[in-house]
Every structure is written in structure tokens, then in C-alpha cells.
Amino acid sequence: MTEYRASFDANVTFSNGGGLQAQGFRLDVPGPDVTADALARLFVAHLGLLMVDRVELTGVEVFAEAHKGSRGGPSGAERSNGSPDAGARLIDLSHVVEAGMTTYPGLPGPEIIPHLTRAASRGVYAEGTEFTIDRISMVSNTGTYVDAPFHRYEGGTDLAGLPLESLANLPVTVVRVEGAAERGITAQALAAHDVAGRAVLLHTGWDRHWRTEQYGGPAPYLTEDGAKHLVTAGARLVGIDSVNIDCTDGGERPAHTILLGAGIPVLEHLTNLSALPVHGARLHAVPVPVRDFGTFPVRAYALVP
């Protein structure tokens, strides 16, 4: 479904005196035919302005663009519970795993070989009945995967210890930063979003480089102060559609350290986040519960009412 935003200049006067001006302000709108009065109400609701006397808008332009999650807008928090219903859509957020592919530069790709071929199985089963049993050898960081605290911390919670409530049926907040001038996603970039109890999915658009040399970086990432903000604000899971949630320019990994240290799973190498609304979807990203293992691929998907 096509989503729309508007750009405009605004001049606000308040009934108790004073005013506010904005130039080139952008806002989510419900459709291309939004009226000036409706746009003014959305503007006031987004900023939480009180005692407004008059709003004058000029230079209004409405254009097709994915919603960013304007407060009080068509993708606002009032839609965020995302209760499943019969008309819900399933959106796949995972990369396909193939033999030999590179997920993270420097790590080997998976090897997929038969353990029992179909031809060999014919000597085991009744006539006309055949199977294949295959073997896959891979590093845990393959495809779209989730990190448990054990990945970063000896003695941390492993995959088998992660509660399903931290991985499944989570309400989603999508943070859209695609096209941002800076690679780092800071606390300031996250401050306007409601993240408490939610899966926070950082939509950078970097998945467009998947399986190319450019995918390895320099890529978008979550900054240290951004990770601290998400912990303090109560995020339940944090995911990104980039090669790493951390900056890989050096050896430090503050986002992993902070998030996993707080027991928040990290979901990396997502894709197709552009297909999700800012609010309203519910995420499922459950790995195999392997004991003494910190990372494993998932089939991440979202349910969108």
C-alpha cells in the first residue's frame, strides 16, 4: 500500500501569546488528498502543542513516501498493538541461505551436502518411497540471525535460555533512517520513538547491498549512546538490516556489549523492512534452542494487520 507524507511551512500563534515557525516540515499523512485543516491538526498533534490559536500552512506538497511514524498520525501509536486478525499479512524479513554465500566478510559460507541421497534411500525404504537427508556445516553467523547474551558474555543466557516472549509476537517499532547523512544511529535519532516493550527494527536500507562487496561496509550502525537509550527506554529486542549492529571500523563493539549485557537479543541482517508500517506489526524471530550456543539463523517475519 502506498503511503504519503507532506512538506510545508507553518506559522503557529498561541492564545496565550507567542508563536512558532517551521520551514520545510515533513509529516506522515493518511493520503494524497489530505486537507489543509487536517494537515494542521496532524502538525499540532505531532508536536503536542497546547493553547494553539491559529495554524497557517504554506507551500504544501504531498508526495509518496514511507511513513516515518509521526505522533498522532496515520501510523501513530494508537495502531501499535497490532492484534492479529484474519486479514493479516505475513512479511518475510529474512535472507535466503545458500551454499557458499558470504554473510559477514571473512567468515566462511555454509556447506550443504547430502547425508543420504534419494538414490541411496531407495535401498532403505519400500519401492516408490524415497527421501533425502542433508547435512549443513556453517558458522552460527549465517543469513539473518539472532544473538543471545552468550554470544558476548561467558555465562550469559544462551539460545536455549532465551524466553519465547523475547523473540516472538513482539509489537514492532520501525525506525526509518534510510538516506541519513551519518552512518551512526544516535540516541537523538531514536528519542521520538516509543520503544518500551517493543522490537525496535532499524531500517537503514543497507540490505540493498546484500551479497555484494559494498555490504561489508562502511555501513550504518547503532551508536553507543543509541544502545544505552534503547536499554533505558525498555526495548525488548533490537534489529538492523545492516552487516552489523556495531561500527566495525575498530575492535570495540559497544552496541553488542550494552544490549546483550541488558539481556536484549540482537537481530542482524534483516531485509524488507520497507514493507513494514512504522507501528502495528508483530515480529517473530525464533532460533533453534541450542544449549551453550550464542547465535543462530532465524526465519524472521512480521504479521501486519
Side-chain angles (χ1 to χ4, degrees):
M1 182 179 69
T2 303
E3 296 178 331
Y4 293 88
R5 308 192 77 220
S7 173
F8 53 87
D9 298 336
N11 185 41
V12 182
T13 56
F14 297 99
S15 59
N16 60 341
L20 174 72
Q21 291 80 40
Q23 290 78 43
F25 199 91
R26 294 192 171 204
L27 201 64
D28 298 347
V29 296
D33 54 354
V34 62
T35 65
D37 286 343
L39 186 56
R41 289 193 296 271
L42 287 170
F43 176 68
V44 171
H46 175 68
L47 295 181
L49 301 177
L50 302 176
M51 302 187 72
V52 173
D53 178 43
R54 188 171 66 254
V55 179
E56 297 176 356
L57 302 181
T58 57
V60 175
E61 297 182 10
V62 179
F63 46 90
E65 185 174 272
H67 286 162
K68 305 293 187 184
S70 302
R71 286 176 297 236
S75 294
E78 67 275 8
R79 295 174 50 192
S80 63
N81 288 335
S83 299
D85 59 39
R89 295 178 293 124
L90 291 170
I91 306 297
D92 197 343
L93 306 176
S94 298
H95 291 293
V96 174
V97 173
E98 300 179 30
M101 73 178 212
T102 297
T103 297
Y104 192 88
L107 295 181
E111 300 176 14
I112 302 174
I113 59 175
H115 172 74
L116 178 70
T117 66
R118 296 186 189 278
S121 76
R122 294 170 194 153
V124 178
Y125 301 102
E127 184 177 355
T129 302
E130 62 181 48
F131 297 93
T132 178
I133 299 177
D134 298 312
R135 179 192 300 271
I136 184 168
S137 175
M138 65 182 184
V139 295
S140 57
N141 300 54
T142 296
T144 302
Y145 53 77
V146 68
D147 293 334
F150 186 85
H151 176 56
R152 172 65 178 81
Y153 294 100
E154 184 177 1
T157 302
D158 61 14
L159 292 170
L162 287 176
L164 282 175
E165 293 80 6
S166 69
L167 301 162
N169 201 31
L170 293 172
V172 169
T173 292
V174 178
V175 178
R176 301 204 191 278
V177 294
E178 184 175 15
E182 300 295 330
R183 291 166 53 205
I185 303 167
T186 64
Q188 185 172 351
L190 300 165
H193 296 274
D194 179 12
V195 303
R198 301 175 182 275
V200 181
L201 305 183
L202 307 176
H203 175 210
T204 72
W206 200 252
D207 58 325
R208 67 186 181 275
H209 300 303
W210 174 249
R211 298 192 66 177
T212 70
E213 289 188 9
Q214 190 172 351
Y215 186 72
Y221 63 93
L222 179 66
T223 64
E224 180 175 356
D225 76 316
K228 289 179 178 177
H229 169 80
L230 291 176
V231 170
T232 301
R236 196 68 186 274
L237 175 149
V238 181
I240 193 168
D241 59 354
S242 185
V243 68
N244 199 307
I245 201 165
D246 268 301
C247 178
T248 59
D249 294 348
E252 296 182 348
R253 297 293 185 268
H256 279 92
T257 298
I258 293 165
L259 296 174
L260 296 178
I264 299 173
V266 172
L267 189 57
E268 293 174 303
H269 307 282
L270 288 163
T271 189
N272 206 26
L273 294 182
S274 61
L276 298 185
V278 173
H279 298 289
R282 300 190 81 88
L283 176 74
H284 298 260
V286 181
V288 177
V290 184
R291 183 69 68 197
D292 296 328
F293 224 67
T295 301
F296 206 81
V298 298
R299 181 70 178 268
Y301 65 91
L303 192 68
V304 180

